[in-house]
Amino acid sequence: MKPFLYYRPKTVKDAIAAVASHPDARFIAGGTNLIDLMKRGIVSPEKLVDINHLPLKKIEQKGGFLRIGALALNSEVANHKTVLQKHPLLAQALHAGASGQLRNMATVGGNILQRTRCNYFYDTAFPCNKRTPGSGCGAWEGINRMHAIFGTNEKSGQDSCIAVHPSDMCVALLALDAVVLVTGQQGERRIPFGDFHRLPGDNPELDSNLLNNELILAVEIPDAPLTRHVHYLKVRDRASYAFALVSVAVALEIDQNNIKTARLTMGGVAHKPWRFPEAEKIMTGQPVSESVFQQAAEAAMQGGRALEHNAYKLKLGANAIVQALKTAVGKA
């Protein structure tokens, strides 16, 4: 790790100006991902702007939505009374992530922006288009057991990226129709959660559509009747502190045994949290039944493209979807 400048701003405006004034500056909050990247030599910022003292930690109900500040800790959000009452799916996803120690340091904004945990990205001995654009993809013909089955380009091969987004929280936020509030030198803007993260395309080094020097202020989750029949299922190699092979977030609104509204998202399968609108349509208006869940699962996984070592994700993903839906229904 090389020496760097350190600055602690007093206001959001000051923080943005501090990053914008230096060509190689980064915001730092919990540091649970950034410090790892610095230790590995993947990033070497010359200046760190510590935003921990900014007033971005509130978790509050405002009208028809819940606003969660970007600096709210994952552990605080997971155990917050309003989150547990209105958005238990989010609490479940947060409890499934990392370890208790990390949840006590990690922030909501940092969780959203965390980078992939692809081994080829972290090992500088291998080529990686995300780390060094144009260098190639070590995972494409390497050990790609953990890698993406959705959102990849068949013709891209070594020219693109097949890494997956690692967050559990983000899978739930996508299912809950969250919006990300950001600000920068051009002012504030709102980004629907499904548009926040990117597919690799021609710029695999970019993880999100956040502009240079923009800062996440908060996440807003609209109130919705999706609180009773929800479940977050994470399938991993060991029971704790492991990233998902696949994960599933489901939320159903059920009236007299009929599905009025359905949300289905997955993690561990794409460069960004992945949603299945066609599978949601299949379930909407249908009675609660395992056959309907099976149809939705088959439709969801139909577009998956397996690599040499991750074909298991197609069947595992379908089974996980059915199990998560059955559990969500049973939890009521």
Side-chain angles (χ1 to χ4, degrees), residues 68 77-78 80 82-97 168-178 221 224 226-234 247-252 262-266 280 324-325 327-328 331:
I68 302 172
V77 178
H80 195 276
T82 305
V83 174
L84 291 169
Q85 288 178 344
K86 288 181 170 289
H87 306 291
L89 180 64
L90 176 59
Q92 290 178 26
L94 283 166
H95 279 299
D168 294 290
M169 181 191 76
C170 290
V171 182
L173 288 175
L174 179 61
L176 295 171
D177 296 319
I221 307 174
L226 296 170
T227 59
R228 294 182 65 205
H229 302 280
V230 300
H231 188 60
Y232 185 77
L233 175 62
K234 183 176 183 178
S247 63
V248 182
V250 297
L252 303 173
R263 295 287 185 271
L264 173 59
T265 57
M266 288 188 76
E280 293 172 355
L325 288 164
T327 304
K331 278 189 173 181

Side-chain angles (χ1 to χ4, degrees), residues 51-128:
I51 60 173
N52 281 294
H53 296 271
L54 299 182
L56 301 175
K57 299 180 180 180
K58 283 187 178 181
I59 305 170
E60 56 185 340
Q61 184 70 25
K62 296 176 70 70
F65 59 87
L66 178 68
R67 175 176 289 187
I68 302 172
L71 292 178
L73 299 180
N74 286 2
S75 56
E76 293 175 345
V77 178
N79 295 301
H80 195 276
K81 181 179 178 181
T82 305
V83 174
L84 291 169
Q85 288 178 344
K86 288 181 170 289
H87 306 291
L89 180 64
L90 176 59
Q92 290 178 26
L94 283 166
H95 279 299
S99 65
Q101 294 93 329
L102 287 172
R103 289 195 295 271
N104 283 335
M105 284 296 296
T107 63
V108 167
N111 191 308
I112 293 172
L113 291 174
Q114 68 177 302
R115 308 211 69 188
T116 182
R117 306 299 170 142
C118 172
N119 290 331
Y120 294 94
F121 172 70
Y122 270 86
D123 191 336
T124 56
F126 288 93
C128 172

Side-chain angles (χ1 to χ4, degrees), residues 110-295:
N111 191 308
I112 293 172
L113 291 174
Q114 68 177 302
R115 308 211 69 188
T116 182
R117 306 299 170 142
C118 172
N119 290 331
Y120 294 94
F121 172 70
Y122 270 86
D123 191 336
T124 56
F126 288 93
C128 172
N129 289 318
K130 180 173 286 297
R131 190 180 64 243
T132 307
S135 63
C137 174
W140 188 264
E141 294 181 352
I143 301 173
N144 42 47
R145 175 174 175 267
M146 299 288 291
H147 291 73
I149 57 174
F150 292 104
T152 60
N153 184 345
E154 288 189 22
K155 298 180 181 179
S156 63
Q158 295 282 353
D159 297 329
S160 191
C161 176
I162 53 173
V164 298
H165 193 268
S167 172
D168 294 290
M169 181 191 76
C170 290
V171 182
L173 288 175
L174 179 61
L176 295 171
D177 296 319
V179 174
V180 185
L181 280 66
V182 306
T183 189
Q185 291 181 306
Q186 306 302 317
E188 293 187 14
R189 64 189 183 113
R190 300 167 60 84
I191 308 174
F193 206 84
D195 297 331
F196 186 86
H197 297 99
R198 295 169 51 97
L199 290 177
D202 295 328
N203 297 102
E205 73 277 11
L206 300 179
D207 297 328
S208 75
N209 288 308
L210 201 66
L211 302 178
N212 287 338
N213 311 322
E214 280 191 320
L215 176 67
I216 297 177
L217 296 176
V219 174
E220 290 182 352
I221 307 174
D223 292 348
L226 296 170
T227 59
R228 294 182 65 205
H229 302 280
V230 300
H231 188 60
Y232 185 77
L233 175 62
K234 183 176 183 178
V235 183
R236 44 191 163 177
D237 284 327
R238 58 180 185 268
S240 66
Y241 196 36
F243 294 98
L245 300 173
V246 300
S247 63
V248 182
V250 297
L252 303 173
E253 178 189 2
I254 298 174
D255 183 27
Q256 296 183 354
N257 206 47
N258 288 319
I259 301 170
K260 292 185 63 177
T261 309
R263 295 287 185 271
L264 173 59
T265 57
M266 288 188 76
V269 294
H271 198 256
K272 57 186 286 187
W274 201 254
R275 187 168 177 175
F276 299 96
E278 291 302 317
E280 293 172 355
K281 289 179 183 178
I282 287 173
M283 290 186 282
T284 303
Q286 297 298 312
V288 172
S289 70
E290 186 167 348
S291 63
V292 170
F293 295 162
Q294 289 281 3
Q295 292 174 39

Side-chain angles (χ1 to χ4, degrees), residues 9-18 27 54-56 183-184 215 217:
K10 295 181 179 180
T11 66
V12 170
K13 185 177 180 180
D14 189 18
I16 293 168
F27 296 117
L54 299 182
L56 301 175
T183 189
L215 176 67
L217 296 176

